[in-house]
Amino acid sequence: MSHHIIEAQDLYFVYPDGTKAINGISFKIIHGESVGIVGSNGAGKSTLIMQMNGFFLPTSGSLKIGATPVNEKTKVDIRRHVGLVFQNPDDQLFMPTVFDDIAFGPLNLGFSKEEVEKCVDESLKMVGCLELKDRPSHHLSLGQKRAVSIACILSMGPDILVMDEPSSFLDHRSRRDLINLLKKFTHTKIIVSHDLDLILEVCERCIILKDGKIQADGKAKDILSEENILKQNNLELPLTLQKNNILK
Amino acid sequence: MSFNQFEFFDLGYLDYLSYKDTFIHRIDPRAKLIVSLIFIITVISFPKYEISSLFIYFFFPIFLIAMADLPAKVIIKRIFIVSPFALMIGIFNPIIDRKVIITIYGLGITSGWISYFSIIIKFILTVSTGFILIATTSFPGICLALEKLKVPKVFVLQLMFIYRYIFVLGEEVVRTMRARELRSFGKKGYELSIAGNILGTLLLRTIDRSERIYQSMCSRGFTGNINLSKKINFTLTDLLYTLILSAMFIVLRFFSGSYAVGRMLLGKGS
Ligand SMILES: Nc1ncnc2c1ncn2[C@@H]1O[C@H](COP(=O)(O)OP(=O)(O)O)[C@@H](O)[C@H]1O
Ligand SMILES: [Mg+2]
């Protein structure tokens, strides 16, 4: 059973305090696609992401990962297939050392000690941080923390990577490293970001959210160069595209 | 956003030291933990008027500092930082306990002063051992040792989380205080009500954070049990280290160490 597909059908979500965060969303993301989700603050991006992991269950409508609908029964299983990278790495790295953090997932999945060691090494190599293995998590730079957070998720072998604002807190160099890293992954990727340039580089497809509704859904290149659509959603042209305009 | 202004007792720096590679650093964390505990227990178990026999125990921290190539200054500074605590604990001894027991050059020394010094020496010995333990074993190492020594997991995990988030929390405190300071325009503003507000904010943020951490744990398959997986080997060297040092501490405790050594030095045999 393939878990690489995410399908939302007329999805609604209301917070317990009555805030309507998601108001009827439908989309289908297929195997290997990388999708950027953009929108101004409060558009419902984080809420949507938390549903993909089963932390918030749909108030109505349905969300399917592969063929499995997200619900109370399936959510634990779904979390193995959907790797969620949190916005703040300090929330994600809760163990004393990098090794423990990355081993946390695989150990919970019941891997043997040898497998865990191998898995940790592989994930760290993938993000280029093998030398950080025995360091305490809180002494890392933010770029390193971000890379290790991603390694934590990779070590569980997810089918779908979901990231909330991966480039926040990062300086230019670390951001560049991150973009190169993301480009390498063949997973289905869903990236929420204010960093439209990052989306433009990493994602083929882009979804614009506003007030919990989809405003636009299509090729990232097309959507992110449409100044009108972006303006209506309180967004600005990506910097790389702005420069081209000036040159013209 | 990095957090350098203050680290709690600079635990972080001690932790850095633990990544050195010396004979002491390579000893199994369990061995170091047990030896340190036995050391602390023996030192504390000395009677309250004991001073001279305690001095010989300084060999242990000095031995470790030398062998593990630790900067003695750093350890001494840490001891100073926490010393007010010890100075306060015994402060009433000289006042309450006024029996003169020794007279030096006409100056009567009361038993209160003696017990006060005894407390201070014991404090220096035990605290320096604690710091050296962290500086040679690292905090995670100590947690691992506790876990392998079958200390209930709940306690070990508590310790681990405290260690992990005390820096984050400290950073949050600093940020909140700074925000308050920026908007109080020179007024003191440390009134109780404001302190209350700040604490409230911190509490809410902490709850939010714990929620997110829990989500992060769940998203990595957490079902109520945390495995610490590191393999460590207890070698013959570790065993010898534990046995020799522990035996030494205990023997010195019961054969009033400095007395015996003094007699040996004076050539009187024992
Ligand atoms: N825990 C919560 N309780 C109630 N309302 C919330 C909560 N979290 C977010 N919201 C509201 O839901 C809406 C969407 O928020 P969010 O998904 O965080 O937006 P984004 O991540 O796009 O900035 C906002 O109006 C926000 O105020
Ligand atoms: Mg958000």
Side-chain angles (χ1 to χ4, degrees):
Chain A
M1 182 167 56
S2 164
H3 282 284
H4 302 253
I5 296 168
I6 300 188
E7 189 174 4
Q9 266 168 357
D10 208 20
L11 191 66
Y12 281 84
F13 182 78
V14 183
Y15 275 104
D17 68 354
T19 313
K20 290 179 181 147
I22 303 289
N23 298 309
I25 282 184
S26 305
F27 59 78
K28 182 170 183 182
I29 295 170
I30 56 165
H31 187 166
E33 219 175 359
S34 59
V35 181
I37 299 182
V38 300
S40 51
N41 286 326
K45 302 173 305 266
S46 299
T47 311
L48 182 60
I49 276 190
M50 288 312 238
Q51 304 209 52
M52 295 180 184
N53 214 320
F55 284 118
F56 300 154
L57 297 174
T59 309
S60 73
S62 78
L63 186 65
K64 278 190 203 156
I65 310 290
T68 323
V70 182
N71 59 34
E72 197 61 48
K73 269 187 225 143
T74 57
K75 67 183 186 187
V76 173
D77 191 48
I78 275 176
R79 283 174 195 159
R80 295 176 47 170
H81 300 284
V82 182
L84 179 56
V85 180
F86 284 64
Q87 180 168 5
N88 186 345
D90 271 326
D91 295 339
Q92 181 128 29
L93 306 175
F94 48 80
M95 296 291 275
T97 69
V98 169
F99 176 90
D100 294 322
D101 249 317
I102 299 180
F104 185 85
L107 280 172
N108 283 331
L109 294 182
F111 286 21
S112 73
K113 296 206 166 165
E114 290 72 33
E115 282 173 320
V116 170
E117 297 258 345
K118 209 176 116 217
C119 196
V120 170
D121 283 1
E122 272 170 12
S123 328
L124 276 174
K125 255 185 226 150
M126 238 187 288
V127 298
C129 289
L130 192 58
E131 73 282 359
L132 299 179
K133 189 167 149 188
D134 293 314
R135 296 271 298 276
S137 309
H138 57 266
H139 284 318
L140 303 180
S141 77
L142 280 163
Q144 290 169 330
K145 278 186 190 172
R146 176 73 64 199
V148 172
S149 303
I150 295 174
C152 283
I153 297 305
L154 291 179
S155 69
M156 314 235 328
D159 303 314
I160 301 169
L161 277 179
V162 183
M163 299 189 197
D164 199 354
E165 305 275 0
S167 65
S168 57
F169 308 135
L170 295 188
D171 62 16
H172 291 281
R173 173 70 202 284
S174 321
R175 177 175 167 276
R176 180 47 52 195
D177 291 345
L178 175 77
I179 291 177
N180 293 338
L181 183 65
L182 292 180
K183 278 184 181 167
K184 274 197 298 192
F185 295 146
T186 52
H187 304 80
T188 304
K189 290 188 284 271
I190 297 173
I191 300 174
V192 164
S193 187
H194 287 294
D195 186 345
L196 299 191
D197 293 278
L198 178 137
I199 302 276
L200 198 59
E201 271 198 61
V202 180
C203 304
E204 303 120 36
R205 181 172 159 195
C206 177
I207 294 177
I208 299 186
L209 276 190
K210 189 184 182 188
D211 301 330
K213 288 197 194 96
I214 292 183
Q215 300 292 319
D217 180 354
K219 280 217 171 98
K221 272 194 204 113
D222 300 343
I223 289 188
L224 294 178
S225 56
E226 286 272 353
E227 230 174 329
N228 286 336
I229 299 182
L230 292 176
K231 266 210 186 110
Q232 278 163 22
N233 295 290
N234 308 325
L235 298 167
E236 274 185 353
L237 272 181
L239 288 172
T240 42
L241 295 183
Q242 283 180 17
K243 254 185 240 150
N244 289 348
N245 286 352
I246 293 166
L247 289 178
K248 274 178 208 164
Chain B
M1 276 241 313
S2 94
F3 174 58
N4 295 324
Q5 280 128 332
F6 67 90
E7 294 197 341
F8 294 75
F9 309 127
D10 232 348
L11 209 60
Y13 185 69
L14 289 180
D15 225 37
Y16 269 131
L17 292 175
S18 72
Y19 291 89
K20 287 185 177 227
D21 189 26
T22 67
F23 168 71
I24 300 288
H25 284 86
R26 280 191 296 268
I27 300 271
D28 188 290
R30 279 169 290 189
K32 281 183 279 193
L33 184 67
I34 292 171
V35 168
S36 298
L37 283 180
I38 292 178
F39 178 83
I40 290 171
I41 292 169
T42 4
V43 165
I44 292 174
S45 76
F46 272 97
K48 79 179 205 197
Y49 295 124
E50 194 59 65
I51 291 186
S52 53
S53 309
L54 280 172
F55 276 104
I56 197 162
Y57 279 87
F58 276 103
F59 90 89
F60 181 57
I62 292 172
F63 162 78
L64 287 181
I65 288 176
M67 288 290 286
D69 193 23
L70 300 175
K73 238 183 162 169
V74 174
I75 306 287
I76 293 170
K77 211 175 110 199
R78 299 287 174 284
I79 296 174
F80 267 110
I81 294 174
V82 291
S83 60
F85 177 67
L87 294 178
M88 289 313 290
I89 278 187
I91 196 85
F92 289 113
N93 286 17
I95 301 171
I96 296 165
D97 194 352
R98 292 182 154 207
K99 202 173 73 196
V100 176
I101 51 170
I102 319 171
T103 314
I104 300 175
Y105 300 120
L107 199 69
I109 294 184
T110 63
S111 47
W113 279 108
I114 304 247
S115 63
Y116 188 34
F117 280 121
S118 178
I119 287 178
I120 293 174
I121 293 172
K122 284 177 185 169
F123 171 81
I124 294 175
L125 283 170
T126 48
V127 169
S128 59
T129 306
F131 284 150
I132 293 170
L133 180 66
I134 296 178
T136 54
T137 315
S138 83
F139 204 85
I142 297 172
C143 290
L144 187 66
L146 287 171
E147 205 249 338
K148 301 269 174 192
L149 290 171
K150 301 275 177 284
V151 171
K153 220 163 201 172
V154 184
F155 292 118
V156 180
L157 292 181
Q158 286 293 339
L159 268 181
M160 248 168 49
F161 279 114
I162 288 174
Y163 174 73
R164 173 65 185 85
Y165 283 102
I166 197 160
F167 300 101
V168 178
L169 184 67
E171 200 171 326
E172 224 141 77
V173 172
V174 170
R175 267 201 306 250
T176 317
M177 299 294 267
R178 203 184 293 138
R180 188 207 62 77
E181 215 157 283
L182 283 176
R183 282 181 288 156
S184 61
F185 304 105
K187 276 194 205 149
K188 264 271 183 259
Y190 285 103
E191 299 95 4
L192 223 52
S193 66
I194 293 182
N197 283 342
I198 290 180
L199 275 181
T201 313
L202 283 174
L203 180 67
L204 286 180
R205 283 194 199 171
T206 310
I207 292 173
D208 272 355
R209 183 182 290 280
S210 59
E211 180 93 348
R212 291 194 301 270
I213 293 166
Y214 177 66
Q215 287 173 346
S216 163
M217 292 167 74
C218 285
S219 65
R220 285 191 270 154
F222 176 71
T223 46
N225 186 28
I226 291 187
N227 296 297
L228 301 164
S229 76
K230 272 266 177 58
K231 263 183 295 186
I232 40 178
N233 293 326
F234 203 84
T235 61
L236 186 63
T237 324
D238 299 324
L239 186 66
L240 288 177
Y241 177 88
T242 315
L243 289 183
I244 293 176
L245 282 171
S246 312
M248 226 147 99
F249 300 152
I250 294 168
V251 167
L252 284 174
R253 168 71 182 85
F254 291 107
F255 295 90
S256 184
S258 50
Y259 180 63
V261 172
R263 295 233 301 199
M264 241 154 60
L265 289 178
L266 291 174
K268 287 183 184 159
S270 47

